[in-house]
Amino acid sequence: MYPKQYALPYRFYVTTTIIAVFLGIVISSYLSYLHYRTYTDIAYSSFCALSKSINCDTVAQSPWSIMANIPISVWGLFGYLFILPIVISLRKQDDTTCSTWSILTLTGGVYSFFSLFLGYISSFKIHAYCILCLCIYSLNFFIFYITFIARKRLSKHPFIQDLFLSFRQLLKTKKILAGAGILALLFIGTKLFLPHYWNFEFSPITIDIPTGITESGHPWIGAKNPTVTIEEYADYQCFQCAKTHFMLRRIIERNPTTLRLVHRHYPMDHEFNPTVVQDPFHVGSGKMALLAIYAMTQNKFWKMHDALFQLARSKESFNTRYLSEKTGIPSPELVAALSHPEIHKHLNRDIRQGMKLRITGTPTFVIKGNVFQGSIPLNILQKIQQ
């Protein structure tokens, strides 16, 4: 117990904890919105996409942003909603409420531990940080700290005994039970009905959508005699490339006689594109481009193209056996293609052409001689669909 002269009033612990939980709800809600926009809006970029290492979009685009088919931000939202009624129930101080601080301390400890895990993922798996996520981590540590101090000051029993006492009391509180039931139903409904908008399932290419190879040797999909041709310079490990290509394919499906999409390779891999990329970045995307070029020679480019984007979105490592299963091309042929000189020459031609256009990032689009890096402006998209 703290000396009386240093003790803070009881309402301080309650008020600060409630404020921290409300901030968690607000930030988690915004992160959920950001996550949705990142996957569904072709031109969206968040306010905190500041650099390669400080970029909320990069974190949201990672497959690590999903756990058990629910975005991590939505998990966080339900986590704060779970403890909110418990904190509110502590507004009046008595022996029962003093014991309940043990539940909050335990919950804050679990949230803090999970924050450490997510911080590890950001550092060593994603190699980028989300400013808002860092705010959430700080809130979790603060909730653990303030509830730990409150329990230490107010409780008269050992920690485990307090847990049993508080659980017993909460089970007798009808409002808490009703709130928990409603929250459980909301979570089940979210689990069952939340659309998996983060999955880019490319539609199978049918005879209704022509494909071919340009005179310069580049694969295309769309109109045989287009009124508008879009050239895309893409990297198979670039999330924005996958998202934009997915949306462009859907636009082409609605306009199969007027629009054509031509694919060019521009891996942001320092091994293949050292002039533009000096440091390791999107390692392996150059080899993925080589496999796509080889698949084109076997008339299976679009199968390989879609499989490569799907592979990059998963947590799986680069695997020719997986690609062989998806495309029907024998794995030994894919391995041999990685060192084929003609395939390397084809990739180098694409990279040199991109450098002539002063492309420094992907995706980049060329429409009627105009170069658009990052995304296609909405007004241009509206025009080409008319």
Side-chain angles (χ1 to χ4, degrees):
M1 300 291 288
Y2 287 107
K4 187 174 182 180
Q5 61 268 31
Y6 297 117
L8 293 168
Y10 179 80
R11 63 178 179 275
F12 170 82
Y13 300 103
V14 177
T15 303
T16 53
T17 306
I18 289 176
I19 291 173
V21 172
F22 267 113
L23 285 174
I25 291 172
V26 171
I27 297 175
S28 295
S29 299
Y30 183 78
L31 281 170
S32 300
Y33 166 79
L34 183 153
H35 192 271
Y36 177 77
R37 287 288 303 277
T38 296
Y39 282 85
T40 59
D41 190 332
I42 194 170
Y44 180 73
S45 179
S46 68
F47 75 93
C48 55
L50 304 178
S51 66
K52 288 182 181 179
S53 58
I54 305 297
N55 198 311
C56 296
D57 294 0
T58 300
V59 176
Q61 293 159 7
S62 163
W64 294 96
S65 69
I66 309 294
M67 185 176 72
N69 283 325
I70 295 179
I72 292 291
S73 55
V74 176
W75 281 101
L77 176 60
F78 276 99
Y80 291 118
L81 289 173
F82 168 73
I83 63 173
L84 179 61
I86 299 176
V87 181
I88 293 176
S89 71
L90 300 179
R91 287 174 297 175
K92 294 182 179 180
Q93 182 181 3
D94 54 40
D95 290 341
T96 302
T97 58
C98 290
S99 296
T100 306
W101 285 98
S102 296
I103 290 181
L104 295 175
T105 301
L106 176 63
T107 306
V110 172
Y111 290 4
S112 298
F113 179 81
F114 192 60
S115 296
L116 289 174
F117 171 73
L118 293 178
Y120 166 81
I121 294 298
S122 289
S123 298
F124 298 100
K125 299 293 185 179
I126 306 174
H127 305 291
Y129 299 93
C130 167
I131 295 174
L132 294 176
C133 294
L134 294 176
C135 291
I136 287 288
Y137 304 160
S138 299
L139 281 174
N140 289 339
F141 291 125
F142 177 77
I143 289 171
F144 172 68
Y145 173 77
I146 196 69
T147 55
F148 174 82
I149 296 299
R151 185 206 165 271
K152 187 175 181 180
R153 178 197 161 193
L154 301 169
S155 178
K156 300 176 181 179
H157 309 289
F159 183 74
I160 299 300
Q161 184 179 351
D162 266 345
L163 284 179
F164 281 112
L165 289 172
S166 55
F167 274 122
R168 188 184 308 167
Q169 181 61 33
L170 288 177
L171 290 175
K172 296 178 181 179
T173 307
K174 294 182 179 180
K175 290 183 179 180
I176 296 292
L177 290 177
I182 293 172
L183 191 62
L185 290 175
L186 285 174
F187 182 81
I188 293 171
T190 301
K191 177 70 174 176
L192 293 176
F193 300 109
L194 180 68
H196 296 179
Y197 57 83
W198 53 86
N199 287 333
F200 297 146
E201 295 291 342
F202 293 103
S203 302
I205 297 173
T206 65
I207 57 174
D208 297 327
I209 303 178
T211 62
I213 307 295
T214 66
E215 293 181 359
S216 58
H218 296 93
W220 59 264
I221 184 171
K224 292 182 179 180
N225 300 296
T227 56
V228 178
T229 297
I230 304 171
E231 286 189 337
E232 65 172 359
Y233 286 78
D235 175 316
Y236 285 113
Q237 290 190 22
C238 163
F239 169 84
Q240 189 71 11
C241 295
K243 179 180 82 170
T244 309
H245 180 86
F246 172 76
M247 295 180 179
L248 286 175
R249 281 266 285 273
R250 297 181 70 176
I251 292 173
I252 286 172
E253 289 170 6
R254 297 193 296 267
N255 302 270
T257 61
T258 58
L259 298 181
R260 173 186 286 189
L261 181 64
V262 178
H263 183 86
R264 287 179 177 265
H265 303 282
Y266 203 70
M268 300 300 289
D269 185 339
H270 71 292
E271 183 180 350
F272 292 83
N273 199 352
T275 302
V276 176
V277 185
Q278 287 80 33
D279 301 317
F281 186 67
H282 286 188
V283 176
S285 60
K287 292 181 178 179
M288 298 172 91
L290 294 174
L291 294 180
I293 294 169
Y294 178 74
M296 181 181 66
T297 67
Q298 306 300 304
N299 296 319
K300 294 183 177 181
F301 172 81
W302 292 105
K303 282 187 177 182
M304 177 64 77
H305 172 277
D306 295 354
L308 287 169
F309 269 136
Q310 293 291 353
L311 179 62
R313 286 292 305 136
S314 71
K315 298 174 185 176
E316 300 297 326
S317 58
F318 186 83
N319 192 328
T320 56
R321 283 177 294 181
Y322 166 84
L323 296 172
S324 177
E325 292 174 1
K326 290 293 185 179
T327 62
I329 303 174
S331 182
E333 290 186 24
L334 296 177
V335 174
L338 295 174
S339 57
H340 198 290
E342 290 301 319
I343 294 176
H344 276 266
K345 287 181 181 178
H346 185 113
L347 177 57
N348 289 333
R349 285 196 296 271
D350 274 2
I351 293 174
R352 286 197 299 271
Q353 180 60 31
M355 291 176 65
K356 288 180 181 178
L357 295 172
R358 299 183 178 181
I359 294 174
T360 57
T362 55
T364 294
F365 304 92
V366 182
I367 305 174
K368 296 181 179 180
N370 297 308
V371 179
F372 304 100
Q373 293 202 49
S375 63
I376 303 173
L378 289 178
N379 64 317
I380 301 296
L381 279 174
Q382 293 168 354
K383 287 180 180 179
I384 64 178
Q385 295 182 74
Q386 292 177 352

